Amino acid sequence: MFGRKELYFLSNVLTILYEEGFIFMDLKDVFRNRRSVRAFKDAEVPEDIIEELIENAGLAPETDTCNYYFGIIRDKETKKQLGEATHWANWISEAPVVIACCGSIAWDIGEQDDDDYGVIGNKLRYGEEIVEFLRNNNNRKASKALLMSSPVYIPAHHIILTAVANGLKGCLVDFMDMDKVDEILGLPEEVTCQVLVPIGYPNEEPKAREPFDMKKKVFKDRW
């Protein structure tokens, strides 16, 4: 059996092989190797891999009211400012690249008629009281961003999984001052950043994940 040091060494060897393009992960291996990492080696991420991250993020499903935009952040000062705008995630400034996952908030539920598909669907999902609050709340940006927050996690996970397939790792960072982040990135009024994804070659050994308990966490037909 391998110990932790041997497994860490093997992980580094595999990372080098992935970087050089000698071996590739299948989808199941990608899922199994995905671990959140918050410390990175001082090594640039190749441009072709960054392009692949963005291309695969762009394959995430969009709707007519939710479009995605992605920022590739390498500038040290910009990364530092972004880190300072987060909740305990200043470490993102040390990542070789940070992908800003942004979404359109041009669609405003407060401007829609009562029979609008989005109004009806969100009332069905969240209840009339919550939807009416969001429709009438004076902070229109926050209200729109809340309704559009979930879809952006889909391309963000595409980025993470593509990174893992290339011997990289990362982490999703979403506890942040969104207004400040938007200002730092110079985003237009109808676009907001929902998730920051720092990516790089891992410089830490993530804790092993407990096996998923199928018996305790899966139900059939009814709980």
Side-chain angles (χ1 to χ4, degrees):
M1 295 290 291
F2 289 115
R4 289 175 64 88
K5 290 183 178 179
E6 288 81 5
L7 288 173
Y8 188 48
F9 172 76
L10 180 60
S11 174
N12 286 335
V13 171
L14 289 173
T15 296
I16 294 172
L17 292 174
Y18 294 138
E19 291 174 22
E20 298 300 325
F22 290 114
I23 58 176
F24 302 92
M25 289 187 189
D26 64 25
L27 188 57
K28 187 179 290 186
D29 287 334
V30 171
F31 289 146
R32 288 174 174 170
N33 282 279
R34 188 218 60 79
R35 305 296 296 133
S36 294
V37 163
R38 298 170 179 81
F40 305 95
K41 295 178 180 178
D42 185 15
E44 293 297 319
V45 178
E47 186 65 32
D48 60 328
I49 293 180
I50 293 177
E51 290 182 4
E52 186 181 351
L53 298 177
I54 301 301
E55 286 175 1
N56 288 350
L59 296 175
E62 291 183 313
T63 69
D64 54 351
T65 61
C66 180
N67 297 303
Y68 306 129
Y69 304 89
F70 306 100
I72 301 170
I73 318 302
R74 293 195 188 92
D75 179 72
K76 290 184 178 180
E77 180 58 29
T78 303
K79 289 187 294 183
K80 179 177 180 293
Q81 291 178 18
L82 290 174
E84 292 171 348
T86 68
H87 182 57
W88 293 345
N90 295 66
W91 50 267
I92 70 171
S93 62
E94 301 301 320
V97 62
V98 176
I99 308 298
C101 296
C102 310
S104 169
I105 53 172
W107 186 81
D108 189 342
I109 195 171
E111 298 175 351
Q112 312 307 314
D113 294 331
D114 289 341
D115 61 354
D116 178 80
Y117 177 84
V119 174
I120 295 172
N122 279 295
K123 283 184 177 181
L124 181 65
R125 186 177 189 185
Y126 300 114
E128 184 166 353
E129 182 179 357
I130 295 298
V131 171
E132 287 305 313
F133 170 79
L134 293 173
R135 292 178 80 185
N136 295 295
N137 182 36
N138 290 331
N139 190 335
R140 297 315 309 150
K141 181 177 180 178
S143 297
K144 293 187 291 182
L146 277 169
L147 284 175
M148 295 298 179
S149 61
S150 297
V152 183
Y153 285 87
I154 303 175
H157 276 286
H158 282 211
I159 291 171
I160 290 288
L161 295 175
T162 303
V164 173
N166 285 280
L168 300 153
K169 282 187 169 62
C171 185
L172 302 185
V173 175
D174 56 2
F175 278 5
M176 58 189 182
D177 184 332
M178 291 174 59
D179 287 338
K180 191 171 182 178
V181 168
D182 291 351
E183 181 181 355
I184 292 169
L185 297 176
L187 299 181
E189 185 177 347
E190 69 276 6
V191 175
T192 187
C193 179
Q194 300 273 12
V195 187
L196 296 170
V197 188
I199 295 291
Y201 295 103
N203 197 30
E204 66 176 341
E205 184 181 0
K207 182 180 178 181
R209 183 171 182 172
E210 294 293 327
F212 184 80
D213 193 330
M214 295 284 287
K215 292 183 178 180
K216 290 184 177 180
K217 296 185 177 181
V218 177
F219 68 93
K220 296 180 179 180
D221 298 324
R222 290 177 61 84
W223 188 274

